[in-house]
Amino acid sequence: MNAVGALSYPLLVTSGALVVVAAWVPFADLDQLSALAVVAVAILVFTAYQLGLALGVLPTGLVAAGAVRGKRVRQQHRLVSRSWLEITSGDRMVWQPVFYAPALSTLTPTDLELTGTAITSGDERFYPSGRVRTTEPPGKLVDNPSRPADPPVFGIGRRLLLDTQSAVGAPVMGLLWVYVVHDGIGGFVGATTVAAATFTWLSAIRGSDPS
């Protein structure tokens, strides 16, 4: 799978979050403008960092090279759902988070090829969505079926629905903003909307798994 296919959804959500931030600019006072600028910069910087990891510009921490054994596991931790590659090289095991691709859902234990930060299996390339872990990720880890099947297809609507679960705390952020800055109902609505978009973006850009 090419990078455009694997990264198109998180980049689409990133664009949506920036649009939400920009939509409030005409109605913002100086304090609100400063807060919106901070949020926009944070989104851009962390997105650039994640893209750097995915495309091999930044190191993820993988040190093995060549052929290794690996399998995909799905992590469910609180409201977080991510895909990980459990990679074994000799007596060493690490966990690498990757951006979701349909091929991951049917990936049985297989040989992976590591070249720098590139992870491939046959014609498929998997893109890191974070740094490698040397300890098992927290939460429940679900193994793939042992036999291959047809890859599922998840539309943008389903993926957004799952990622917006992370926005459950957005009203709390809105209330906190009103308490600190003494804004009215408009400030609450704006802060809640921006927080919801930011939480949804954070879930997507960290490699959420809709399977």
Side-chain angles (χ1 to χ4, degrees):
M1 170 168 287
N2 59 37
V4 173
L7 301 177
S8 58
Y9 171 73
L11 289 179
L12 179 64
V13 177
T14 298
S15 300
L18 291 173
V19 167
V20 171
V21 172
W24 284 103
V25 168
F27 310 101
D29 58 25
L30 186 58
D31 288 336
Q32 293 166 342
L33 280 174
S34 299
L36 292 173
V38 169
V39 171
V41 169
I43 290 174
L44 290 171
V45 169
F46 191 66
T47 298
Y49 173 75
Q50 289 293 90
L51 289 178
L53 293 176
L55 300 177
V57 177
L58 299 174
T60 64
L62 280 173
V63 295
V68 297
R69 195 68 178 167
K71 68 176 184 178
R72 177 256 189 172
V73 293
R74 179 180 181 274
Q75 176 202 27
Q76 185 65 50
H77 180 55
R78 301 192 182 108
L79 296 178
V80 174
S81 177
R82 301 177 78 185
S83 282
W84 296 74
L85 290 176
E86 187 177 276
I87 299 171
T88 304
S89 177
D91 59 353
R92 185 171 184 262
M93 180 179 292
V94 297
W95 288 263
Q96 173 65 66
V98 289
F99 284 101
Y100 179 78
L104 285 168
S105 294
T106 57
L107 185 70
T108 55
T110 187
D111 290 329
L112 300 173
E113 185 72 22
L114 304 184
T115 307
T117 57
I119 307 170
T120 57
S121 174
D123 295 331
E124 293 286 342
R125 178 176 174 180
F126 304 111
Y127 294 88
S129 62
R131 289 185 57 81
V132 72
R133 285 180 61 103
T134 56
T135 57
E136 186 175 283
K140 181 181 180 182
L141 300 182
V142 181
D143 284 348
N144 270 11
S146 59
R147 296 180 181 179
D150 293 332
V153 177
F154 300 108
I156 292 177
R158 173 184 168 88
R159 300 189 70 171
L160 271 177
L161 181 63
L162 293 174
D163 285 339
T164 51
Q165 294 180 91
S166 302
V168 66
V172 176
M173 298 300 295
L175 290 173
L176 182 62
W177 173 260
V178 170
Y179 176 78
V180 172
V181 184
H182 305 293
D183 259 345
I185 186 65
F188 171 76
V189 173
T192 300
T193 305
V194 171
T198 303
F199 289 148
T200 302
W201 157 80
L202 187 60
S203 179
I205 201 63
R206 294 180 69 237
S208 60
D209 184 335
S211 64

